[in-house]
Amino acid sequence: TYAPIPSVWRALHAQLPLPCCAIMAADDPALEPGLMNKLDQVAPASERHVLERCGHWVQNERPVEVNRIIREFLSKHPPTRRAGSNAS
């Protein structure tokens, strides 16, 4: 089982005030999809995606689907310029 260090545990209990896209694999031997069960508590504006018949490396095993999910997410949540940012 996963047992994070205390500082990580505290950070996991803080709420993220921004959109979040989580992509996991149904057949991942290291990270089971159940880890996302409390994602709504940590990131209320989150989207969860579990890819069936996929192992640990979702971006390598299902690149087309991962890219589609990310593109759709970014189209719904375009980056915004932060106050004081010099980025153009």
Side-chain angles (χ1 to χ4, degrees):
T1 58
Y2 177 69
I5 57 176
S7 60
V8 172
W9 189 251
R10 281 190 300 278
L12 288 174
H13 283 82
Q15 280 202 350
L16 298 174
L18 49 118
C20 173
C21 180
I23 305 171
M24 292 189 78
D27 302 324
D28 189 331
L31 302 169
E32 61 188 44
L35 291 172
M36 288 199 292
N37 287 346
K38 294 186 178 184
L39 184 60
D40 293 337
Q41 294 173 15
V42 177
S46 64
E47 289 185 12
R48 296 185 278 182
H49 303 272
V50 178
L51 305 184
E52 300 296 327
R53 298 176 309 284
C54 188
H56 186 70
W57 302 103
V58 293
Q59 72 278 11
N60 293 341
E61 295 179 40
R62 304 281 279 286
V64 173
E65 191 168 357
V66 169
N67 283 331
R68 179 189 55 75
I69 291 168
I70 292 171
R71 284 187 181 117
E72 287 175 3
F73 177 80
L74 291 175
S75 72
K76 292 184 277 187
H77 307 283
T80 58
R81 186 175 173 151
R82 289 184 278 168
S85 172
N86 291 330
S88 40

